[in-house]
Amino acid sequence: MSRAETERRTGDDDRAPEGPGLLRRAPGGPGRFHRVLGGPGLFRSELIITVRRWRTLALLGVLAAVPVLIGIAVKIQTGDDGTADDGHGGEGPAFITQVTNNGLFLVFAALAATLPVFLPMVVGVVAGDAIAGEASAGTLRYLLVAPAGRTRLLLVKYATTLVFCLLATLTVAVSALATGALLFPLGDVTTISGTRISFGEGLLRAGLISMVVAASLAGLAALGLFVSTLTGSGVAAMATTVGLLITVQILGAIPQLEAVHPYLFPHYWMSFSDLLREPLYWDEVGRNLGLQAVYAAVFGSAAWACFTSKDITA
Amino acid sequence: MASHESAQNTDESQDLSPARRRAARYFVPVAVAGIAAATIGLVPALAASGDPDLPEISAQELIAKIAASETEQLSGTVKISTDLGLPSIAALADNYLPGPGEGGRGGSSAAPEDKLTQLATGTHTLRVAFDGPERQKISVLEESAEYSMIHNEGEIWAYDSASNEAMHTEKPGGKSGDGAAAKRAKPLSITPQEFAEQALKAAGPSTSVTVDGTAQVAGRDAYQLAVKPRQSGSTIGSIKIAVDSETGTPLKFSVNPSSGGKAAIDVGFTKVDFSKPSSALFEFTPPKGTKVTEADESAKGEGEPSKQDLKELEKELENEFGGFPGGGLNVIGKDWTSIAKFGTGAGEGGSEKGAAGAEGDGAAAGAMGILGGLGDPVSGDFGSGTVFETRLINALMTDDGQVYVGAVTKDALVKAANADK
């Protein structure tokens, strides 16, 4: 707690609040007054605090390691002639067979491998911690002794989580790109439809896919934020969010529940690979983004209803 | 502890108690969820309700329009849904159908036969692109992968991105001129256009062909052509073909079983574009590291040239279908209610598909036992037997080894068997 406080202070020392009539110093929280103004300053300081946590850095480190591991594994499995020598093609994670042709495919393979579990888990931890973590550290009430208000704080927390989604996705993508470039040849990209695009266009597609993958996590982020407003314990909120994620993934794997599958937030996650077709196939991607928007609206407003009507005692 | 916001809100709503005001906030997420659900439910309903207003047209004119259609260039997305009432044709075919698929299957996972049998069950999305007779492409969209068949001026490629394997062959008339190999990789008729042509061929005096209103298909105004059997006893209720009102291109084809329910076969465009597709679509160079199988090679993979292979196949077919003790295939009835009859000779042949063909009596008897468990027992003047039902095709296997198969109801099968005695 004292460390976090120090970080908050170093995070935006230059943003002392101006203007008369503001409560500048919260009792008992000497460093907190920097955050009272809200707006971009609050958002910036929240983001810096989130990213600078050791926990966050460790999670990002794990994410960065996954593509390296996949790359090395594929490299070892590959014969000297440059072709994967296993006879059973079509198994394993998506795009894994194309990695040996083109290192850029490691980006897609790594995203396909991390999207079901690793990425959402990391997002679940950050989203679950957003409000409940402040409450359990005893800092929430000081955040609220400010004209910024609860709604604004909640929006800032959600925006921070969304930026973190993008950051986590880019961590995987950049690490995969670096590993792929080191271990495998780069060059013109063959789309899964069999057509060829230049490496530059391939990079653009990789960027686009990263954005779509990050946006795919928006629904989970809202769900985590909602859970976070329900409890005063950061650990409980994180565990619940990750638990919900796993439950939903299991439900999505049961064929008898096919009727409800289109309503589960991970259902269209893998649709990002439709952006590797030629011409681009947007139907499922659109459905994915729409579903995420619905989840964000429903659980975002639920979080708002819960957070603005509850008594904050910690 | 009082927050800033609640302090701000106190004067706005003094009549409500704080507790009630708080509870009211929970209506917001509920309302959002409700609006989302309603929108998702209503949008397809609204989109489907607008049948376009088109000038009247006779069935004959419409068929002529299809025949005169000069659409050579188009690209689009096709959705195929098949519900034949079978668990999985692909699995059955893998187990029971020997023959032409085998050589290719051993050679490469990019061989087209397996992919095409998979299309016979469930729902699949395809993308098609046509640019005259020289360039066509059909892609089956799979989860994170795609299976493409590309024909570009004599070169035929099949590429399976999941396994990163490709199959190559050349069209007959090219330098290799191996017709058998070309046939292997040639796409089956799976576009709505080809489906429609085949259905129209079947029309005769026993068939009613009418124009059944209009519909919106893939965002285009279309006439609906309905083809119905005049005979009773057919399992096919109607065949509907939606024809684009401008170009005369069939856009949707569906077979509805007479028992009702959703269409047994439904093939239709969900998106269509009549402009010239990009030529880059048809260019395929196998990426480095892709395993390429020449179709000729895969046939030779078994140590025989493909011509001899074909002869063997013919012989095999003769053994299986022509060589039955019951005297082979007979057709009872005609048109919609035609029933194929063949004898298996009790205890010798296996099933209607020749599953147990050469495998000996024991295996055949075992197959009979398993099949008996799948069907319903029936009896009549012909004796007794077992009926196997799907949504379109029914089969009756009598205990003395006669098999009757047709797109007719169970009663019609029994009647035919009775009359045959």
Side-chain angles (χ1 to χ4, degrees), chain B residues 6-29:
Chain B
S6 56
Q8 217 175 28
N9 287 345
T10 33
D11 37 3
E12 289 171 16
S13 44
Q14 269 171 339
D15 342 342
L16 290 167
S17 71
R20 281 185 67 183
R21 191 154 38 78
R22 284 172 188 176
R25 295 186 179 225
Y26 285 96
F27 284 111
V28 177

Side-chain angles (χ1 to χ4, degrees), chain A:
Chain A
M1 150 91 201
S2 63
R3 188 187 52 75
E5 287 300 300
T6 322
E7 274 176 9
R8 284 179 202 283
R9 219 177 0 240
T10 52
D12 60 356
D13 253 345
D14 53 330
R15 289 186 184 263
E18 311 275 325
L22 292 183
L23 182 63
R24 294 183 189 213
R25 190 168 284 271
R32 302 298 304 199
F33 71 92
H34 299 294
R35 298 170 66 177
V36 296
L37 260 190
L42 179 60
F43 173 64
R44 213 186 96 171
S45 75
E46 277 299 332
L47 193 60
I48 290 171
I49 290 163
T50 308
V51 174
R52 278 202 183 162
R53 277 198 188 111
W54 278 109
R55 179 174 55 208
T56 316
L57 291 176
L59 289 171
L60 290 179
V62 170
L63 284 181
V66 172
V68 179
L69 286 178
I70 297 177
I72 292 173
V74 171
K75 187 76 183 171
I76 292 171
Q77 274 282 312
T78 307
D80 293 332
D81 55 346
T83 54
D85 52 7
D86 54 346
H88 48 88
E91 288 170 32
F95 309 119
I96 208 90
T97 50
Q98 281 106 321
V99 171
T100 48
N101 310 346
N102 196 321
L104 188 62
F105 269 94
L106 190 58
V107 175
F108 312 128
L111 285 175
T114 50
L115 187 52
V117 183
F118 283 107
L119 272 175
M121 198 180 72
V122 170
V123 169
V125 165
V126 170
D129 193 48
I131 302 289
E134 300 274 3
S136 59
T139 47
L140 186 55
R141 68 175 114 173
Y142 305 123
L143 276 173
L144 295 175
V145 189
R150 297 188 183 195
T151 308
R152 199 157 185 185
L153 176 67
L154 200 66
L155 283 175
V156 166
K157 286 285 188 188
Y158 189 54
T160 312
T161 315
L162 288 185
V163 171
F164 180 76
C165 293
L166 185 61
L167 191 68
T169 313
L170 288 178
T171 304
V172 175
V174 170
S175 160
L177 187 61
T179 314
L182 273 177
L183 295 179
F184 304 104
L186 296 176
D188 282 0
V189 181
T190 302
T191 63
I192 55 177
S193 304
T195 58
R196 248 173 204 229
I197 54 176
S198 68
F199 183 70
E201 209 193 325
L203 270 183
L204 276 181
R205 298 252 178 133
L208 183 66
I209 283 175
S210 301
M211 298 293 159
V212 169
V213 168
S216 306
L217 298 165
L220 176 72
L223 183 63
L225 196 65
F226 170 60
V227 172
S228 189
T229 60
L230 291 177
T231 168
S233 154
V235 177
M238 291 184 233
T240 310
T241 310
V242 175
L244 275 174
L245 166 77
I246 295 170
T247 313
V248 170
Q249 295 277 49
I250 291 172
L251 291 181
I254 300 176
Q256 282 80 0
L257 296 177
E258 209 169 340
V260 299
H261 286 176
Y263 304 99
L264 302 178
F265 61 86
H267 184 69
Y268 297 110
W269 274 358
M270 290 307 285
S271 66
F272 77 82
S273 51
D274 288 347
L275 301 180
L276 279 176
R277 303 186 198 280
E278 185 67 45
L280 295 170
Y281 184 64
W282 287 101
D283 293 23
E284 300 255 302
V285 177
R287 256 174 250 161
N288 180 22
L289 296 181
L291 188 66
Q292 300 307 327
V294 169
Y295 265 82
V298 171
F299 286 101
S301 57
W304 170 80
C306 188
F307 188 54
T308 53
S309 59
K310 112 181 192 184
D311 288 328
I312 306 295
T313 52

Side-chain angles (χ1 to χ4, degrees), chain B residues 324-389:
Chain B
F324 290 122
L329 206 63
N330 291 316
V331 176
I332 307 168
K334 57 178 193 167
D335 297 334
W336 295 89
T337 53
S338 51
I339 294 167
K341 175 205 165 192
F342 46 89
T344 59
E348 196 175 326
S351 72
E352 69 268 28
K353 280 287 178 195
E359 284 173 27
D361 291 0
M368 291 276 267
I370 294 167
L371 284 172
L374 289 171
D376 298 318
V378 286
S379 56
D381 293 345
F382 64 90
S384 62
T386 315
V387 167
F388 308 101
E389 280 181 291

Side-chain angles (χ1 to χ4, degrees), chain B residues 194-263:
Chain B
E194 286 166 78
F195 260 123
E197 275 169 17
Q198 281 169 19
L200 286 175
K201 253 185 226 162
S206 56
T207 309
S208 91
V209 181
T210 52
V211 177
D212 185 25
T214 58
Q216 277 266 340
V217 179
R220 297 188 66 94
D221 296 346
Y223 290 106
Q224 289 233 66
L225 189 68
V227 180
K228 286 181 191 154
R230 284 191 212 274
Q231 298 158 297
S232 65
S234 171
T235 49
I236 296 174
S238 67
I239 296 174
K240 284 191 178 167
I241 303 160
V243 182
D244 185 45
S245 60
E246 262 175 56
T247 61
T249 311
L251 296 177
K252 194 174 160 79
F253 173 91
S254 57
V255 178
N256 301 292
S258 55
S259 53
K262 71 169 193 175

